[in-house]
Amino acid sequence: VERGREQLIAVALQLPTDIALPTLCEHFQQAVFRRESADEAPTQRALLQAAMGAALESRAYEAALWYAARTGSAEAMSGVIERGCNELAASAVADALLKRFEPVTASDAALVRLKLAHVALARVRGQAEQEQQHLEEALRIASRSADAVLLGDVYGAQGRHVEPRDVDRAIADYVASIEHYESAARDAGDSPQRAHSARVGLLASLVRLSFLYSRRGDPRCKTLLERAS
């Protein structure tokens, strides 16, 4: 299966990518993975997840992304991109798979995470316009869900996006991120995982904001670092 996939990709890259690669990938999927019944679906997903995990272990990120796409899981797609962002940023195969990917079911959290994975790819490629577009889409989803952790994630990513060009805007975004994370931590209740996500995000935004303050000689830098500690 892996050898066949690689051969098809090699052929497709000799042809117009927008047409040939997605079409060949789709035909290959249909040939290798028959349309499973409801009873067979869990087994099929387990096999795909196992193959994805093996590909990740060997750092075969294109293959892992292909298996993730077959699962229909936004979480799986974003997880692969997070692991192999630099490699996938240079991959025409990744572009084709992401363009055609449609999640079977996805929570707002999974969709935001996938959008932020797109943001990371665009950042590595130096595509500021695409990065901004994905950030806006992520913010729409996070705002719709009114999830404080997601909003903290998006504002933190937005701060990193504008930081090289507009420090004042970046500071405002990091402050907003911190406020959302603090709100999420207060309201986490009996959810250790949510509290942990809020603390991890809060730490990252505190450090980024303290760095910007330190560049300006702002004494608030020390206070933020103490909070981070």
Side-chain angles (χ1 to χ4, degrees), residues 34-220:
R34 58 191 171 82
R35 298 295 181 181
E36 65 271 12
S37 68
D39 291 338
E40 294 169 321
T43 301
Q44 188 80 295
R45 282 194 298 272
L47 290 171
L48 288 166
Q49 288 167 354
M52 182 185 72
L56 283 173
E57 286 298 317
S58 61
R59 298 185 179 181
Y61 295 117
E62 285 183 350
L65 193 66
W66 188 83
Y67 291 123
R70 280 297 298 158
T71 68
S73 166
E75 293 95 331
M77 291 290 281
S78 57
V80 172
I81 295 170
E82 289 164 5
R83 288 275 297 273
C85 186
N86 291 336
E87 292 82 355
L88 293 172
S91 168
V93 176
D95 282 342
L97 290 171
L98 287 167
K99 183 177 180 180
R100 296 174 67 84
F101 175 69
E102 294 183 5
V104 176
T105 58
S107 64
D108 285 339
L111 292 175
V112 167
R113 186 181 174 194
L114 183 57
K115 286 297 177 185
L116 293 180
H118 279 276
V119 168
L121 284 174
R123 183 177 299 130
V124 171
R125 293 167 172 167
Q127 299 171 332
E129 185 175 342
Q130 288 88 335
E131 186 178 350
Q132 181 61 43
Q133 179 182 344
H134 289 303
L135 279 167
E136 291 171 357
E137 292 171 358
L139 183 57
R140 280 197 293 270
I141 299 169
S143 298
R144 178 183 68 201
S145 71
D147 186 304
V149 171
L150 299 183
L151 287 166
D153 291 343
V154 175
Y155 278 110
Q158 191 162 274
R160 289 190 293 277
H161 170 61
V162 301
E163 189 176 313
R165 299 175 297 280
D166 188 342
V167 174
D168 288 331
R169 170 74 183 280
I171 287 174
D173 285 330
Y174 288 134
V175 168
S177 175
I178 289 169
E179 290 173 348
H180 285 299
Y181 284 134
E182 288 175 334
S183 173
R186 287 194 302 269
D187 300 336
D190 297 328
S191 175
Q193 182 176 359
R194 183 172 177 79
H196 174 73
S197 297
R199 286 195 298 271
V200 169
L202 177 59
L203 175 60
S205 290
L206 285 170
V207 170
R208 295 301 304 178
L209 183 56
S210 67
F211 171 71
L212 294 185
Y213 281 155
S214 70
R215 288 171 54 186
R216 291 185 164 185
D218 192 315
R220 286 176 290 183

Side-chain angles (χ1 to χ4, degrees), residues 14-36:
Q14 306 300 318
L15 304 170
T17 303
D18 289 345
I19 299 173
L21 184 55
T23 302
L24 285 174
C25 283
E26 182 173 330
H27 288 324
F28 182 60
Q29 290 170 9
Q30 292 173 354
V32 176
F33 296 105
R34 58 191 171 82
R35 298 295 181 181
E36 65 271 12

